[in-house]
Amino acid sequence: MTGALRRRLAAALDRRLGALGDRIVADAVVREHELAVAIEDVRARLERLEAGATGRTGEREARRAELQIRLNVLDARLAGADAGIARLDGRIDDDVFPLLRALVDDEAANRRRLWCLRDQPDYALAYTEDEPLVTISIPTHDRVELLMERSLPTLLAQTYEHLDILIVGDRATPELEAAVRGVKDPRVRFANVTTRVRQPTGRRWLAAATMPRNEAYRLARGRWTLDFDDDDTLRPDAVAVLLEHARASRAEVAYGDALQRAPDGSVTTLGSFPPVMGQFSLAAALVHEGLRFFAREHVAVPMGVPGDWYRVERMLRVGVRFAHRPGVVHDYYPSTLWAPGASPGS
């Protein structure tokens, strides 16, 4: 029973912010373990009493009855400890975890930042400039062929030409850096982060390329930003139609649909309003540059939330204005389908 409880607790805590969750249930687990040890001790004493032939029969019966009562009490306490741990697990789900999420999300502060942004004189320039600059960023590590032959050409071929294309290496290989620096288009820039943060195997995709994404937000020059990947493609008029929609609707995030392509040739259109996880892609969205304070966060991994969606979810919760333009603007090649175990930027 002890081992089963511990495995269940470990799995539960792994879905949450583990360190604090451990402290919440640690005392209960220790008490449960101590009760289990005490039960084993009483059972051993009962076995020794049964095996012994010395002593008066009346005394042995009295001692047996005493030990049995003790055993029954301990068994009842152990059952109560099990139920108590289950209740604590529920409290983490219902009470503690939402409080932890509120602290991590920094929701109240983000709401104030959004209000302050809208009061800034430069805020409206994203909507009023004739040709506002758009920064498209791509994090990447070593996928030279995909970047240079699939992804980047579709950015350079956009009908809207006032672009700032920022390739950020996730500790990029020398070959990839050389390839990007060899591009003879002044709109293309290269930056690099020197240290890769590797997430646990199996959940790496949840917050892949967090550091280069955030470096791209820091270095972006445009009035609008678009997060892209090194293995996807952008439709030729994507930036033009999204920018037109953003300016017409005064949206702070204007997005279209993504066409998910599978290796077997099947396709699925992803897009909905309001945005929902699994039906929204930041690679199909223009985001007002003032929203760069909504960064990517490594904590998305222990929370079990994809890093891009965690960014969007925090925007939605404080009132960022989203506008959906139906129609495919982005072709999506999921790494989990095309290269099992890989992830964007990896």
Side-chain angles (χ1 to χ4, degrees), residues 153-161 163 233-241 328-331:
T154 68
L155 306 187
L156 297 175
Q158 288 295 301
T159 58
Y160 187 85
E161 298 181 349
L163 301 177
T233 61
L234 200 61
R235 299 289 174 94
D237 62 347
V239 174
V241 298
V328 173
V329 297
H330 163 224
D331 288 85

Side-chain angles (χ1 to χ4, degrees), residues 111 114 118 252 314-322:
R111 186 180 302 108
L114 178 62
R118 290 171 176 168
E252 290 154 336
R314 284 149 53 219
M315 291 182 184
L316 289 167
R317 287 176 64 88
V318 300
V320 170
R321 291 193 290 263
F322 283 71

Side-chain angles (χ1 to χ4, degrees), residues 249-326:
S249 62
R250 301 287 286 195
E252 290 154 336
V253 179
Y255 66 99
D257 299 329
L259 191 70
Q260 177 177 292
R261 296 186 177 274
D264 62 6
S266 63
V267 296
T268 305
T269 301
L270 307 177
S272 67
F273 186 84
V276 295
M277 186 168 66
Q279 290 291 318
F280 178 92
S281 172
L282 279 172
L286 284 188
V287 178
H288 192 290
E289 62 88 19
L291 300 177
R292 289 184 291 176
F293 61 85
F294 287 102
R296 301 290 184 101
E297 302 294 346
H298 296 296
V299 76
V301 172
M303 289 194 299
V305 181
D308 56 349
W309 179 250
Y310 183 51
R311 185 183 191 222
V312 172
E313 186 178 41
R314 284 149 53 219
M315 291 182 184
L316 289 167
R317 287 176 64 88
V318 300
V320 170
R321 291 193 290 263
F322 283 71
H324 179 218
R325 180 199 180 276

Side-chain angles (χ1 to χ4, degrees), residues 35-296:
L35 286 168
V37 170
I39 287 172
E40 291 303 317
D41 178 64
V42 173
R43 285 176 176 163
R45 291 160 68 183
L46 273 171
E47 290 174 1
R48 289 195 299 271
L49 183 64
E50 294 291 345
T54 59
R56 296 178 181 178
T57 301
E59 291 177 349
R60 289 203 310 272
E61 289 300 324
R63 182 58 176 159
R64 182 184 298 109
E66 178 186 345
L67 288 173
Q68 188 60 56
I69 292 171
R70 174 67 173 163
L71 182 61
N72 292 341
V73 170
L74 289 172
D75 278 335
R77 288 181 179 175
L78 183 60
D82 189 4
I85 290 172
R87 287 194 297 273
L88 281 173
D89 196 15
R91 284 290 304 279
I92 293 173
D93 275 330
D94 300 335
D95 300 331
V96 178
F97 187 56
L99 293 175
L100 296 177
R101 274 294 303 264
L103 291 173
V104 172
D105 291 355
D106 205 16
E107 189 171 308
N110 284 338
R111 186 180 302 108
R112 291 190 293 270
R113 293 181 185 112
L114 178 62
W115 294 343
C116 182
L117 167 66
R118 290 171 176 168
D119 288 336
Q120 297 303 308
D122 289 348
Y123 169 82
L125 294 178
Y127 307 101
T128 59
E129 283 186 349
D130 289 339
E131 290 189 344
L133 184 65
V134 175
T135 294
I136 305 177
S137 61
I138 299 179
T140 187
H141 173 59
D142 61 357
R143 301 199 290 196
V144 180
E145 184 175 345
L146 282 171
L147 174 67
M148 303 304 294
E149 297 182 13
R150 180 191 288 178
S151 182
L152 183 56
T154 68
L155 306 187
L156 297 175
Q158 288 295 301
T159 58
Y160 187 85
E161 298 181 349
H162 197 198
L163 301 177
D164 168 38
I165 300 173
L166 177 58
I167 313 298
V168 182
D170 192 2
R171 203 186 69 191
T173 62
E175 293 79 11
L176 188 138
E177 180 174 353
V180 175
R181 293 194 184 280
V183 175
K184 304 304 181 183
D185 190 312
R187 298 175 298 175
V188 177
R189 294 189 286 147
F190 179 80
N192 199 19
V193 297
T194 58
T195 304
R196 300 186 79 195
V197 174
R198 304 293 284 172
Q199 304 293 347
T201 302
R203 297 194 297 172
R204 196 165 289 162
W205 66 276
L206 287 171
T210 293
M211 288 178 62
R213 288 288 188 196
N214 288 338
E215 181 68 357
Y217 300 150
R218 186 182 74 85
L219 297 174
R221 297 170 178 169
R223 299 288 183 192
W224 297 92
T225 64
L226 188 150
D227 293 3
F228 211 60
D229 291 318
D230 61 7
D231 56 349
D232 294 338
T233 61
L234 200 61
R235 299 289 174 94
D237 62 347
V239 174
V241 298
L242 291 176
L243 181 59
E244 180 182 6
H245 192 61
R247 288 152 73 91
S249 62
R250 301 287 286 195
E252 290 154 336
V253 179
Y255 66 99
D257 299 329
L259 191 70
Q260 177 177 292
R261 296 186 177 274
D264 62 6
S266 63
V267 296
T268 305
T269 301
L270 307 177
S272 67
F273 186 84
V276 295
M277 186 168 66
Q279 290 291 318
F280 178 92
S281 172
L282 279 172
L286 284 188
V287 178
H288 192 290
E289 62 88 19
L291 300 177
R292 289 184 291 176
F293 61 85
F294 287 102
R296 301 290 184 101

